[in-house]
């Protein structure tokens, strides 16, 4: 494997340092993807609130400026994704994919779609990180490729954040006066944002699922070892999906979402106690913190989705 460090002389600990840099860049790309998702959902939900006079309180809550929260959100999520191993990240991606398919098949068309997009934040970050780890494995100058990807992702996240800030500040004025081309475009086609996100997420998770399966299988030396791992994993995930599906029909709200996170991560923790490594246990705990952090930062948007 060649990277930025391949051009420098071999020194003790240098390879470890470049591996940590690569992990940080992968986490940054994943965190930027989550930032873009939240910004576009913020734009969509704000436009929906503007068009509904009964949701003015929600509109003001969404439009409230939090200048320090968004950069802090990206920084914390980058750190978590950089430290979580590819094995646990792959398991998180597969679990969410199964849960998303079950939810889409069981609910009416379009029901709770915005809420599902918000619940996939951490899984999206893990999926992007897994996909990059798989696609760039063995690539020449891996670190340079990741640095370029991080730069492009950062620019995209910055522009998405500026769009959300512009919409929350000037959309009502510009849409009435037909003054701003961006606001006029959103007035005409803003309802298509969920479809855009659905297609982008479907493609991202399709690649991430393939990468996750490959990243997990490469740790096994024989088919027997793979079967001993995948059998309890499949049973565990199936039971979790059935349980959470029943819970989602019985209740909806902040308490149910946080309880779902505890149940999912608890099930993954117990599973890896039997078939995983001790580092996997630490990574599951960090993933639990990452899930909670994403939900806490998007609390206003989740409340708007529940009331929609």
């Amino acid at each position: 494997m060649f990277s930025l460090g391949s051009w420098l002389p071999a020194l003790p600990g240098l390879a470890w340092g470049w591996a940590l840099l690569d992990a940080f860049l992968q986490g940054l790309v994943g965190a930027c993807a989550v930032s873009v998702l939240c910004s576009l959902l913020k734009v969509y939900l704000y436009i929906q609130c503007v068009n509904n006079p009964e949701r003015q309180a929600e509109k003001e809550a969404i439009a409230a400026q939090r200048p320090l929260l968004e950069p802090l959100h990206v920084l914390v999520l980058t750190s978590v994704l950089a430290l979580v191993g590819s094995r646990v990240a792959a398991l998180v991606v597969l679990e969410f994919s199964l849960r998303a398919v079950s939810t889409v098949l069981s609910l009416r068309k379009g029901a709770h779609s915005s809420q599902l997009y918000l619940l996939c934040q951490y899984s999206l970050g893990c999926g992007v990180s897994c996909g990059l780890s798989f696609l760039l494995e063995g690539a020449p100058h891996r670190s340079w490729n990741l640095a370029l990807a991080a730069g492009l992702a950062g620019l995209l996240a910055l522009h998405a954040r500026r769009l959300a800030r512009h919409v929350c500040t000037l959309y009502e004025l510009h849409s009435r006066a037909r003054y701003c081309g961006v606001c006029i475009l959103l007035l005409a086609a803003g309802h298509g944002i969920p479809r855009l996100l659905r297609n982008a997420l479907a493609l991202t998770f399709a690649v991430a699922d393939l990468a996750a399966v490959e990243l997990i299988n490469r740790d096994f030396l024989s088919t027997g070892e793979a079967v001993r791992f995948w059998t309890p994993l499949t049973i565990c995930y199936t039971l979790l999906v059935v349980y959470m599906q029943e819970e989602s029909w019985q209740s909806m709200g902040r308490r149910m979402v946080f309880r779902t996170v505890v149940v999912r991560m608890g099930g993954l923790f117990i599973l890896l106690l039997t078939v995983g490594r001790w580092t996997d246990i630490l990574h599951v705990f960090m993933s639990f913190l990452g899930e909670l952090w994403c939900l806490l930062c998007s609390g206003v948007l989740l409340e708007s989705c529940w009331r929609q």
Side-chain angles (χ1 to χ4, degrees), residues 147-183:
L148 177 61
L152 294 175
L155 286 176
L156 186 59
L158 180 61
H159 283 293
R161 190 184 307 165
R162 287 179 178 176
L163 174 64
R165 189 180 301 116
H166 175 84
V167 168
C168 293
T169 305
L170 299 171
Y171 175 78
E172 289 186 87
L173 176 62
H174 288 174
S175 60
R176 287 196 302 266
R178 300 296 193 272
Y179 175 74
C180 171
V182 174
C183 294

mmCIF file of all heavy atoms in Angstrom, residues 147-183:
data_model
loop_
_atom_site.group_PDB
_atom_site.id
_atom_site.type_symbol
_atom_site.label_atom_id
_atom_site.label_comp_id
_atom_site.label_asym_id
_atom_site.label_seq_id
_atom_site.Cartn_x
_atom_site.Cartn_y
_atom_site.Cartn_z
ATOM 1 N N ALA A 147 -7.108 13.217 1.059
ATOM 2 C CA ALA A 147 -7.048 14.661 1.284
ATOM 3 C C ALA A 147 -7.888 15.403 0.242
ATOM 4 O O ALA A 147 -8.605 16.361 0.565
ATOM 5 C CB ALA A 147 -5.606 15.140 1.243
ATOM 6 N N LEU A 148 -7.823 14.959 -1.016
ATOM 7 C CA LEU A 148 -8.643 15.568 -2.067
ATOM 8 C C LEU A 148 -10.125 15.339 -1.795
ATOM 9 O O LEU A 148 -10.946 16.264 -1.929
ATOM 10 C CB LEU A 148 -8.251 14.983 -3.422
ATOM 11 C CG LEU A 148 -9.066 15.474 -4.624
ATOM 12 C CD1 LEU A 148 -8.922 16.977 -4.787
ATOM 13 C CD2 LEU A 148 -8.617 14.749 -5.899
ATOM 14 N N ALA A 149 -10.474 14.112 -1.396
ATOM 15 C CA ALA A 149 -11.872 13.813 -1.083
ATOM 16 C C ALA A 149 -12.363 14.657 0.098
ATOM 17 O O ALA A 149 -13.491 15.165 0.088
ATOM 18 C CB ALA A 149 -12.035 12.323 -0.769
ATOM 19 N N ALA A 150 -11.512 14.816 1.111
ATOM 20 C CA ALA A 150 -11.900 15.613 2.276
ATOM 21 C C ALA A 150 -12.087 17.078 1.893
ATOM 22 O O ALA A 150 -13.013 17.753 2.373
ATOM 23 C CB ALA A 150 -10.849 15.478 3.375
ATOM 24 N N GLY A 151 -11.207 17.586 1.016
ATOM 25 C CA GLY A 151 -11.366 18.969 0.581
ATOM 26 C C GLY A 151 -12.653 19.195 -0.193
ATOM 27 O O GLY A 151 -13.377 20.177 0.046
ATOM 28 N N LEU A 152 -12.971 18.289 -1.114
ATOM 29 C CA LEU A 152 -14.209 18.415 -1.886
ATOM 30 C C LEU A 152 -15.441 18.272 -0.991
ATOM 31 O O LEU A 152 -16.430 19.008 -1.139
ATOM 32 C CB LEU A 152 -14.232 17.371 -3.001
ATOM 33 C CG LEU A 152 -13.177 17.532 -4.093
ATOM 34 C CD1 LEU A 152 -13.232 16.370 -5.072
ATOM 35 C CD2 LEU A 152 -13.353 18.853 -4.831
ATOM 36 N N ALA A 153 -15.380 17.312 -0.053
ATOM 37 C CA ALA A 153 -16.507 17.123 0.866
ATOM 38 C C ALA A 153 -16.690 18.342 1.761
ATOM 39 O O ALA A 153 -17.825 18.754 2.053
ATOM 40 C CB ALA A 153 -16.282 15.874 1.708
ATOM 41 N N GLY A 154 -15.575 18.938 2.198
ATOM 42 C CA GLY A 154 -15.670 20.138 3.024
ATOM 43 C C GLY A 154 -16.301 21.302 2.273
ATOM 44 O O GLY A 154 -17.124 22.045 2.829
ATOM 45 N N LEU A 155 -15.923 21.493 1.008
ATOM 46 C CA LEU A 155 -16.529 22.564 0.205
ATOM 47 C C LEU A 155 -18.022 22.328 0.015
ATOM 48 O O LEU A 155 -18.835 23.264 0.107
ATOM 49 C CB LEU A 155 -15.830 22.642 -1.154
ATOM 50 C CG LEU A 155 -14.420 23.244 -1.170
ATOM 51 C CD1 LEU A 155 -13.830 23.164 -2.568
ATOM 52 C CD2 LEU A 155 -14.456 24.693 -0.694
ATOM 53 N N LEU A 156 -18.401 21.077 -0.245
ATOM 54 C CA LEU A 156 -19.818 20.760 -0.427
ATOM 55 C C LEU A 156 -20.598 21.005 0.856
ATOM 56 O O LEU A 156 -21.710 21.569 0.829
ATOM 57 C CB LEU A 156 -19.964 19.302 -0.868
ATOM 58 C CG LEU A 156 -21.367 18.830 -1.240
ATOM 59 C CD1 LEU A 156 -21.921 19.651 -2.384
ATOM 60 C CD2 LEU A 156 -21.362 17.354 -1.610
ATOM 61 N N ALA A 157 -20.027 20.603 1.990
ATOM 62 C CA ALA A 157 -20.698 20.833 3.273
ATOM 63 C C ALA A 157 -20.816 22.317 3.572
ATOM 64 O O ALA A 157 -21.841 22.786 4.097
ATOM 65 C CB ALA A 157 -19.942 20.117 4.393
ATOM 66 N N LEU A 158 -19.775 23.095 3.244
ATOM 67 C CA LEU A 158 -19.810 24.537 3.490
ATOM 68 C C LEU A 158 -20.885 25.208 2.653
ATOM 69 O O LEU A 158 -21.641 26.054 3.151
ATOM 70 C CB LEU A 158 -18.434 25.133 3.176
ATOM 71 C CG LEU A 158 -18.284 26.640 3.379
ATOM 72 C CD1 LEU A 158 -18.530 27.016 4.831
ATOM 73 C CD2 LEU A 158 -16.899 27.101 2.933
ATOM 74 N N HIS A 159 -20.992 24.840 1.385
ATOM 75 C CA HIS A 159 -22.013 25.444 0.531
ATOM 76 C C HIS A 159 -23.423 25.015 0.965
ATOM 77 O O HIS A 159 -24.361 25.828 0.900
ATOM 78 C CB HIS A 159 -21.764 25.055 -0.918
ATOM 79 C CG HIS A 159 -20.637 25.815 -1.565
ATOM 80 N ND1 HIS A 159 -20.689 27.161 -1.815
ATOM 81 C CD2 HIS A 159 -19.408 25.409 -1.985
ATOM 82 C CE1 HIS A 159 -19.565 27.571 -2.379
ATOM 83 N NE2 HIS A 159 -18.762 26.515 -2.492
ATOM 84 N N ALA A 160 -23.586 23.766 1.390
ATOM 85 C CA ALA A 160 -24.889 23.324 1.878
ATOM 86 C C ALA A 160 -25.282 24.086 3.144
ATOM 87 O O ALA A 160 -26.453 24.457 3.333
ATOM 88 C CB ALA A 160 -24.861 21.823 2.151
ATOM 89 N N ARG A 161 -24.306 24.345 4.016
ATOM 90 C CA ARG A 161 -24.595 25.102 5.232
ATOM 91 C C ARG A 161 -24.955 26.546 4.904
ATOM 92 O O ARG A 161 -25.852 27.132 5.514
ATOM 93 C CB ARG A 161 -23.376 25.062 6.153
ATOM 94 C CG ARG A 161 -23.623 25.617 7.548
ATOM 95 C CD ARG A 161 -22.358 25.620 8.360
ATOM 96 N NE ARG A 161 -21.743 24.294 8.369
ATOM 97 C CZ ARG A 161 -20.493 24.075 8.756
ATOM 98 N NH1 ARG A 161 -19.718 25.082 9.128
ATOM 99 N NH2 ARG A 161 -20.017 22.847 8.769
ATOM 100 N N ARG A 162 -24.259 27.139 3.929
ATOM 101 C CA ARG A 162 -24.588 28.501 3.515
ATOM 102 C C ARG A 162 -25.978 28.558 2.892
ATOM 103 O O ARG A 162 -26.717 29.534 3.091
ATOM 104 C CB ARG A 162 -23.540 29.003 2.520
ATOM 105 C CG ARG A 162 -22.195 29.326 3.149
ATOM 106 C CD ARG A 162 -21.202 29.791 2.097
ATOM 107 N NE ARG A 162 -19.928 30.151 2.684
ATOM 108 C CZ ARG A 162 -18.851 30.517 1.988
ATOM 109 N NH1 ARG A 162 -18.909 30.548 0.658
ATOM 110 N NH2 ARG A 162 -17.729 30.838 2.604
ATOM 111 N N LEU A 163 -26.341 27.522 2.131
ATOM 112 C CA LEU A 163 -27.688 27.472 1.552
ATOM 113 C C LEU A 163 -28.738 27.437 2.647
ATOM 114 O O LEU A 163 -29.746 28.157 2.584
ATOM 115 C CB LEU A 163 -27.810 26.245 0.649
ATOM 116 C CG LEU A 163 -29.204 25.968 0.090
ATOM 117 C CD1 LEU A 163 -29.650 27.093 -0.827
ATOM 118 C CD2 LEU A 163 -29.237 24.632 -0.650
ATOM 119 N N ALA A 164 -28.519 26.599 3.665
ATOM 120 C CA ALA A 164 -29.483 26.521 4.764
ATOM 121 C C ALA A 164 -29.586 27.851 5.497
ATOM 122 O O ALA A 164 -30.687 28.294 5.862
ATOM 123 C CB ALA A 164 -29.065 25.404 5.732
ATOM 124 N N ARG A 165 -28.449 28.522 5.720
ATOM 125 C CA ARG A 165 -28.473 29.816 6.398
ATOM 126 C C ARG A 165 -29.195 30.861 5.554
ATOM 127 O O ARG A 165 -29.965 31.682 6.078
ATOM 128 C CB ARG A 165 -27.036 30.263 6.696
ATOM 129 C CG ARG A 165 -26.950 31.489 7.582
ATOM 130 C CD ARG A 165 -25.513 31.894 7.859
ATOM 131 N NE ARG A 165 -24.787 30.814 8.503
ATOM 132 C CZ ARG A 165 -23.756 30.201 7.964
ATOM 133 N NH1 ARG A 165 -23.324 30.546 6.755
ATOM 134 N NH2 ARG A 165 -23.125 29.237 8.602
ATOM 135 N N HIS A 166 -28.966 30.832 4.247
ATOM 136 C CA HIS A 166 -29.626 31.780 3.344
ATOM 137 C C HIS A 166 -31.140 31.555 3.336
ATOM 138 O O HIS A 166 -31.917 32.519 3.401
ATOM 139 C CB HIS A 166 -29.060 31.620 1.935
ATOM 140 C CG HIS A 166 -29.749 32.455 0.898
ATOM 141 N ND1 HIS A 166 -29.438 33.781 0.665
ATOM 142 C CD2 HIS A 166 -30.758 32.154 0.030
ATOM 143 C CE1 HIS A 166 -30.210 34.256 -0.291
ATOM 144 N NE2 HIS A 166 -31.014 33.290 -0.702
ATOM 145 N N VAL A 167 -31.541 30.300 3.265
ATOM 146 C CA VAL A 167 -32.974 29.994 3.227
ATOM 147 C C VAL A 167 -33.651 30.412 4.520
ATOM 148 O O VAL A 167 -34.735 31.021 4.504
ATOM 149 C CB VAL A 167 -33.186 28.494 2.947
ATOM 150 C CG1 VAL A 167 -34.637 28.099 3.184
ATOM 151 C CG2 VAL A 167 -32.774 28.157 1.522
ATOM 152 N N CYS A 168 -33.043 30.100 5.648
ATOM 153 C CA CYS A 168 -33.656 30.422 6.939
ATOM 154 C C CYS A 168 -33.701 31.925 7.191
ATOM 155 O O CYS A 168 -34.495 32.383 8.023
ATOM 156 C CB CYS A 168 -32.890 29.735 8.077
ATOM 157 S SG CYS A 168 -33.028 27.939 8.077
ATOM 158 N N THR A 169 -32.891 32.689 6.484
ATOM 159 C CA THR A 169 -32.862 34.132 6.696
ATOM 160 C C THR A 169 -33.709 34.895 5.682
ATOM 161 O O THR A 169 -34.436 35.828 6.043
ATOM 162 C CB THR A 169 -31.410 34.654 6.630
ATOM 163 O OG1 THR A 169 -30.602 33.929 7.564
ATOM 164 C CG2 THR A 169 -31.352 36.143 6.972
ATOM 165 N N LEU A 170 -33.654 34.501 4.412
ATOM 166 C CA LEU A 170 -34.214 35.334 3.352
ATOM 167 C C LEU A 170 -35.229 34.627 2.464
ATOM 168 O O LEU A 170 -35.740 35.247 1.532
ATOM 169 C CB LEU A 170 -33.079 35.863 2.463
ATOM 170 C CG LEU A 170 -32.037 36.751 3.156
ATOM 171 C CD1 LEU A 170 -30.869 37.014 2.225
ATOM 172 C CD2 LEU A 170 -32.661 38.051 3.629
ATOM 173 N N TYR A 171 -35.537 33.355 2.722
ATOM 174 C CA TYR A 171 -36.410 32.631 1.799
ATOM 175 C C TYR A 171 -37.792 33.262 1.696
ATOM 176 O O TYR A 171 -38.335 33.410 0.587
ATOM 177 C CB TYR A 171 -36.532 31.176 2.233
ATOM 178 C CG TYR A 171 -37.515 30.387 1.400
ATOM 179 C CD1 TYR A 171 -37.174 29.921 0.136
ATOM 180 C CD2 TYR A 171 -38.803 30.123 1.874
ATOM 181 C CE1 TYR A 171 -38.070 29.223 -0.639
ATOM 182 C CE2 TYR A 171 -39.711 29.418 1.107
ATOM 183 C CZ TYR A 171 -39.349 28.973 -0.145
ATOM 184 O OH TYR A 171 -40.245 28.279 -0.913
ATOM 185 N N GLU A 172 -38.389 33.626 2.812
ATOM 186 C CA GLU A 172 -39.747 34.185 2.780
ATOM 187 C C GLU A 172 -39.796 35.462 1.952
ATOM 188 O O GLU A 172 -40.708 35.659 1.134
ATOM 189 C CB GLU A 172 -40.218 34.461 4.206
ATOM 190 C CG GLU A 172 -40.504 33.211 5.015
ATOM 191 C CD GLU A 172 -41.111 33.539 6.365
ATOM 192 O OE1 GLU A 172 -42.352 33.678 6.440
ATOM 193 O OE2 GLU A 172 -40.348 33.648 7.335
ATOM 194 N N LEU A 173 -38.808 36.337 2.155
ATOM 195 C CA LEU A 173 -38.776 37.592 1.404
ATOM 196 C C LEU A 173 -38.517 37.360 -0.074
ATOM 197 O O LEU A 173 -39.223 37.888 -0.945
ATOM 198 C CB LEU A 173 -37.697 38.502 1.991
ATOM 199 C CG LEU A 173 -37.454 39.828 1.256
ATOM 200 C CD1 LEU A 173 -38.708 40.697 1.278
ATOM 201 C CD2 LEU A 173 -36.275 40.568 1.861
ATOM 202 N N HIS A 174 -37.524 36.541 -0.386
ATOM 203 C CA HIS A 174 -37.151 36.334 -1.784
ATOM 204 C C HIS A 174 -38.202 35.545 -2.555
ATOM 205 O O HIS A 174 -38.407 35.788 -3.752
ATOM 206 C CB HIS A 174 -35.809 35.609 -1.851
ATOM 207 C CG HIS A 174 -34.663 36.472 -1.450
ATOM 208 N ND1 HIS A 174 -33.369 35.990 -1.327
ATOM 209 C CD2 HIS A 174 -34.607 37.796 -1.146
ATOM 210 C CE1 HIS A 174 -32.573 36.977 -0.970
ATOM 211 N NE2 HIS A 174 -33.298 38.079 -0.836
ATOM 212 N N SER A 175 -38.854 34.592 -1.901
ATOM 213 C CA SER A 175 -39.858 33.799 -2.616
ATOM 214 C C SER A 175 -41.085 34.633 -2.953
ATOM 215 O O SER A 175 -41.728 34.400 -3.980
ATOM 216 C CB SER A 175 -40.254 32.583 -1.774
ATOM 217 O OG SER A 175 -40.805 32.991 -0.527
ATOM 218 N N ARG A 176 -41.415 35.603 -2.101
ATOM 219 C CA ARG A 176 -42.561 36.477 -2.395
ATOM 220 C C ARG A 176 -42.219 37.504 -3.471
ATOM 221 O O ARG A 176 -43.025 37.779 -4.362
ATOM 222 C CB ARG A 176 -43.022 37.187 -1.120
ATOM 223 C CG ARG A 176 -43.737 36.292 -0.127
ATOM 224 C CD ARG A 176 -44.487 37.127 0.881
ATOM 225 N NE ARG A 176 -43.595 38.036 1.599
ATOM 226 C CZ ARG A 176 -43.025 37.753 2.775
ATOM 227 N NH1 ARG A 176 -43.277 36.590 3.356
ATOM 228 N NH2 ARG A 176 -42.232 38.632 3.371
ATOM 229 N N ALA A 177 -41.016 38.059 -3.371
ATOM 230 C CA ALA A 177 -40.628 39.109 -4.313
ATOM 231 C C ALA A 177 -40.060 38.565 -5.608
ATOM 232 O O ALA A 177 -39.776 39.355 -6.529
ATOM 233 C CB ALA A 177 -39.606 40.034 -3.653
ATOM 234 N N ARG A 178 -39.879 37.255 -5.705
ATOM 235 C CA ARG A 178 -39.267 36.642 -6.887
ATOM 236 C C ARG A 178 -37.932 37.324 -7.198
ATOM 237 O O ARG A 178 -37.635 37.681 -8.334
ATOM 238 C CB ARG A 178 -40.205 36.741 -8.091
ATOM 239 C CG ARG A 178 -41.552 36.072 -7.931
ATOM 240 C CD ARG A 178 -41.390 34.569 -7.751
ATOM 241 N NE ARG A 178 -42.643 33.862 -7.904
ATOM 242 C CZ ARG A 178 -43.518 33.634 -6.911
ATOM 243 N NH1 ARG A 178 -43.235 34.073 -5.700
ATOM 244 N NH2 ARG A 178 -44.629 32.982 -7.136
ATOM 245 N N TYR A 179 -37.122 37.451 -6.144
ATOM 246 C CA TYR A 179 -35.893 38.232 -6.268
ATOM 247 C C TYR A 179 -34.649 37.377 -6.441
ATOM 248 O O TYR A 179 -33.745 37.730 -7.195
ATOM 249 C CB TYR A 179 -35.740 39.111 -5.014
ATOM 250 C CG TYR A 179 -34.451 39.888 -4.950
ATOM 251 C CD1 TYR A 179 -34.251 41.007 -5.755
ATOM 252 C CD2 TYR A 179 -33.431 39.493 -4.093
ATOM 253 C CE1 TYR A 179 -33.061 41.715 -5.710
ATOM 254 C CE2 TYR A 179 -32.239 40.198 -4.042
ATOM 255 C CZ TYR A 179 -32.063 41.307 -4.838
ATOM 256 O OH TYR A 179 -30.884 41.999 -4.787
ATOM 257 N N CYS A 180 -34.612 36.224 -5.755
ATOM 258 C CA CYS A 180 -33.400 35.406 -5.714
ATOM 259 C C CYS A 180 -33.632 34.128 -6.534
ATOM 260 O O CYS A 180 -34.637 33.433 -6.358
ATOM 261 C CB CYS A 180 -33.045 35.074 -4.276
ATOM 262 S SG CYS A 180 -31.720 33.877 -4.072
ATOM 263 N N GLY A 181 -32.678 33.827 -7.422
ATOM 264 C CA GLY A 181 -32.815 32.649 -8.249
ATOM 265 C C GLY A 181 -32.821 31.358 -7.447
ATOM 266 O O GLY A 181 -33.559 30.415 -7.770
ATOM 267 N N VAL A 182 -32.002 31.296 -6.392
ATOM 268 C CA VAL A 182 -31.956 30.101 -5.549
ATOM 269 C C VAL A 182 -33.294 29.877 -4.860
ATOM 270 O O VAL A 182 -33.829 28.754 -4.836
ATOM 271 C CB VAL A 182 -30.816 30.218 -4.519
ATOM 272 C CG1 VAL A 182 -30.860 29.047 -3.542
ATOM 273 C CG2 VAL A 182 -29.470 30.265 -5.223
ATOM 274 N N CYS A 183 -33.851 30.920 -4.287
ATOM 275 C CA CYS A 183 -35.125 30.788 -3.578
ATOM 276 C C CYS A 183 -36.271 30.475 -4.529
ATOM 277 O O CYS A 183 -37.193 29.733 -4.185
ATOM 278 C CB CYS A 183 -35.419 32.067 -2.790
ATOM 279 S SG CYS A 183 -34.266 32.370 -1.428
#
